[in-house]
Amino acid sequence: MRIIYEQKEMQGIADKYRNWDKTIGFVATMGYLHEGHLSLIREAKKDNDVVFVSIFVNPTQFSPDEDLDKYPRDFKRDEEMLKKEGVDFLFYPTVETMYPKNFQTYINVEELTKVLEGQSRPTHFRGVTTIVAKLFNITKPHKAYFGQKDAQQLIVIKRMVEDLNIDIEIVGMPIVRENDGLAMSSRNKYLSDKEREQAVCLHQALEKAKEMIDAGNYDVQKIKQEMEKVIYNYSIPKIDYISISNLTTLQELSQVEPSNTLISMAVFIGKTRLIDNLWI
Ligand code: PAF
C-alpha cells in the first residue's frame, strides 16, 4: 500500500488508473478504523480494480464545542489494518493542504441538512459535503462506499452527487454491530465500562420499534413512547432525538410508511453522543 500526502500526486495516480480503464473504489474515513470501515473496503475491493482509502479528521464538520481535538487517532494501527485488507493507496493529507489560508468555498445541501443531526449540529453537513466533494475531486473514483450507520450523511451525499451531476456511484452498506447489537463507531472508545453496557439501549430501542412494526403497529407516537421507555430503563438521562421520518425527504411521519421509513436517534451516554438507526 502506498501512502500519498499530496493532492496533485493522488490526482495523477487516479488519472493513470482511469487511462488504463481500471475502476477505482473509494472509502473516505476519519481513521481509528473498525469493522464497519473494513466492510466498506471489502465491498470496494470486490467491485473495483483498485481501492483508495482516505484518512482525514475533517475540522469543518466539528463545531467548536465538539470533540475535534480528542477524536481518536492511531495512524500506525490504521495503516496495518489497511495493508492487511489489501488497500492499494491511502490518501493521508494535512489540514493545511486541504484547507489552505484562502479557502472559502463550501457545499450546502439545503433542506435535508436542517433536520435530525442537522438540528443538533447545524454546521456539520456543510463540512461533510465540502470535504467529500474535495476528496471525490482528488481521488476521482467510479464508486464510493458509505455506511448506513450515518444514515443522514449517506442520504445527503447521494443528494449532492445527484444535484451536482457528480459522476460517481454512491454505495450504501449495512451497519456493522458488536455481538450485543451496539453499532460500531470510533466514538465507542469514549465509553466507560458502565456506559458501554448502557449503550446497547439504542439498538434495543430500535429492536422494540421493529417488533411493533412487524406486529402491524404503525403509529409513530406509540412507537416513540415505547422506544423512550426502553432507553430510560437503562437509566439514560438524555435522549437528543428519536425520529421516524420519510427515508427520502427526512420529514417526520405520523404513520410508518412500509419500505420508506427511517427510524433514527441520538442519545447521550454520559458525555458521548451516539447515533443509530433502522431502515424500514
Ligand atoms: O463518516 C465519516 O467518517 C466522515 O463524515 C467522512 C465521510 C469521512 C467525511 O469526513
Side-chain angles (χ1 to χ4, degrees), residues 7-26:
Q7 299 163 21
K8 283 262 173 281
E9 190 182 0
M10 191 72 259
Q11 282 171 321
I13 291 167
D15 285 340
K16 204 175 68 180
Y17 279 98
R18 282 185 161 258
N19 287 339
W20 290 338
D21 272 343
K22 300 289 183 203
T23 55
I24 302 170
F26 174 56

Side-chain angles (χ1 to χ4, degrees), residues 39-184:
S39 74
L40 307 181
I41 291 167
R42 285 171 196 153
E43 193 68 12
K45 273 202 78 79
K46 263 200 252 156
D47 284 356
N48 300 278
D49 295 316
V50 64
V51 172
F52 297 177
V53 172
S54 64
I55 296 182
F56 181 65
V57 183
N58 173 36
T60 62
Q61 69 189 74
F62 291 78
S63 66
D65 60 336
E66 287 181 346
D67 55 344
L68 174 63
D69 289 339
K70 70 174 177 94
Y71 194 84
R73 293 163 170 90
D74 190 340
F75 182 74
K76 278 287 149 223
R77 175 178 160 275
D78 288 346
E79 186 186 359
E80 284 316 306
M81 287 168 85
L82 294 176
K83 274 189 194 159
K84 250 199 206 148
E85 293 300 321
V87 167
D88 300 282
F89 291 91
L90 167 61
F91 181 52
Y92 185 49
T94 61
V95 174
E96 291 70 29
T97 58
M98 292 305 268
Y99 294 109
K101 255 202 181 124
N102 276 331
F103 187 89
Q104 49 187 298
T105 306
Y106 290 88
I107 292 179
N108 191 28
V109 174
E110 303 218 335
E111 296 308 317
L112 286 175
T113 64
K114 288 183 181 150
V115 293
L116 309 179
E117 286 298 288
Q119 232 166 29
S120 307
R121 309 179 70 194
T123 56
H124 172 68
F125 287 111
R126 184 179 96 129
V128 170
T129 42
T130 302
I131 198 65
V132 168
K134 280 172 71 71
L135 290 167
F136 283 172
N137 284 332
I138 294 167
T139 58
K140 307 188 187 193
H142 296 84
K143 291 187 178 188
Y145 299 77
F146 294 88
Q148 289 181 349
K149 155 89 181 354
D150 294 300
Q152 190 175 7
Q153 169 171 284
L154 174 59
I155 291 164
V156 165
I157 290 171
K158 280 190 171 164
R159 182 81 264 144
M160 170 183 80
V161 163
E162 202 173 319
D163 288 353
L164 299 183
N165 305 94
I166 299 175
D167 190 13
I168 296 172
E169 186 186 332
I170 304 300
V171 182
M173 293 292 295
I175 298 176
V176 179
R177 297 182 180 279
E178 304 282 358
N179 287 338
D180 64 358
L182 176 65
M184 293 210 179

